[in-house]
Amino acid sequence: MQFRFFESMFNSNLWKRFQSFLSYLQRLLTTHWRSLLLLLVGIYLPLQVFGELAEDIWENEGGFPWDVPLLLLIHSTASPQLDTFASTLTRFGVFWGVVPASILLLLVLLLRRRWRSLVYALTTLLGSAIINRTAKLLLHRVRPHLWKSPSPELDYGFPSGHAMSSMTFVAVLVILTWNTPWRLPVLILGSIFVFAIGWTRLYLGVHYPSDIVAGWMASIAWTVGVSLLIKPNLTQNSAK
């Protein structure tokens, strides 16, 4: 009888503790569901895609069955006018567009004394460039040579530097303007810019589609990951 009494009391206490844990877990998930969803969609899934692409490139430099057909399909639209347009537009993906715009963004944040946002933007933009260069040197993927490009490139192709720089810059802008009325215009115009730069790299024949996708995924994961650590929009006056 005594044994059954202690057993019953133990089971009752265990069940109460389990219910308490479930209640705590529910409150935690309710409070942090946005951050958890962001971890899943903004970091885990992009990293999974990038990892799968990088692993296949590491094992088989030839790439994927859909790379060449997509490139040839895009090349079928080629014309002298599009050659000139794509060759000009693609330069805005790094040196003519993203680099000066990034410097301007950093100066604006500096002058407005938005230290947390400044640290976030600087860390993210520089880190993206380092990640891109490191991945290229590690994977050594040769660029496609299916036709003579109007704007040839000589270094390695995976992941695309233009795709990473444009996506990183736009993602930084979206995160910094997330709580402002500028969020939707930045998201729409930024998406058009990112896809346009990606198209130029494919049209010019200097990247495989998988290079572009990998660049986008790496940028999204890095940009979102750094934002969760630094929290650029947490307080604008915290470091003044």
Side-chain angles (χ1 to χ4, degrees):
M1 292 291 294
Q2 213 172 19
F3 175 76
R4 289 183 178 179
F5 171 76
F6 284 116
E7 182 182 17
S8 174
M9 187 172 64
F10 174 77
N11 290 335
S12 176
N13 287 335
L14 183 63
W15 175 245
K16 288 180 181 179
R17 290 180 182 274
F18 182 66
Q19 286 181 314
S20 178
F21 167 73
L22 290 179
S23 177
Y24 171 78
L25 180 61
Q26 183 180 8
R27 291 196 306 271
L28 191 68
L29 293 177
T30 302
T31 303
H32 299 288
W33 70 269
R34 290 182 180 85
S35 296
L36 293 172
L37 182 62
L38 192 59
L39 279 172
L40 174 65
V41 177
I43 299 178
Y44 174 74
L45 292 180
L47 280 181
Q48 278 289 100
V49 175
F50 178 81
E52 290 293 329
L53 293 173
E55 182 180 5
D56 286 347
I57 295 300
W58 181 269
E59 295 175 352
N60 177 23
E61 189 178 311
F64 306 88
W66 40 274
D67 269 332
V68 172
L70 281 176
L71 275 180
L72 293 177
L73 178 63
I74 293 173
H75 183 61
S76 66
T77 65
S79 68
Q81 294 78 15
L82 273 181
D83 286 356
T84 302
F85 175 73
S87 298
T88 302
L89 179 59
T90 200
R91 291 183 171 90
F92 288 89
V94 182
F95 297 110
W96 285 16
V98 170
V99 169
S102 297
I103 294 173
L104 179 61
L105 172 64
L106 296 174
L107 287 175
V108 169
L109 295 175
L110 177 65
L111 292 174
R112 296 185 64 183
R113 297 172 62 85
R114 292 181 55 179
W115 307 130
R116 187 181 292 271
S117 297
L118 177 60
V119 170
Y120 168 69
L122 184 62
T123 301
T124 306
L125 293 168
L126 289 178
S128 177
I130 293 171
I131 291 170
N132 179 261
R133 181 54 51 186
T134 303
K136 284 187 175 183
L137 293 176
L138 285 175
L139 294 169
H140 286 190
R141 189 185 198 187
V142 178
R143 295 176 184 267
H145 296 285
L146 301 177
W147 61 84
K148 185 177 180 180
S149 173
S151 298
E153 301 281 359
L154 301 177
D155 63 341
Y156 297 115
F158 184 95
S160 167
H162 284 68
M164 280 196 69
S165 63
S166 58
M167 177 62 83
T168 301
F169 178 71
V170 169
V172 166
L173 286 182
V174 169
I175 289 173
L176 291 180
T177 60
W178 190 255
N179 297 322
T180 74
W182 289 98
R183 176 177 64 183
L184 189 58
V186 168
L187 184 60
I188 294 174
L189 294 177
S191 298
I192 294 173
F193 175 70
V194 166
F195 281 108
I197 295 300
W199 167 80
T200 65
R201 308 311 286 166
L202 299 177
Y203 177 86
L204 295 171
V206 294
H207 280 294
Y208 292 105
S210 51
D211 298 337
I212 305 297
V213 174
W216 288 343
M217 294 300 102
S219 294
I220 291 172
W222 171 248
T223 306
V224 172
V226 177
S227 74
L228 291 177
L229 290 174
I230 297 179
K231 302 183 187 304
N233 295 322
L234 182 63
T235 56
Q236 299 300 343
N237 302 313
S238 59
K240 287 185 180 182

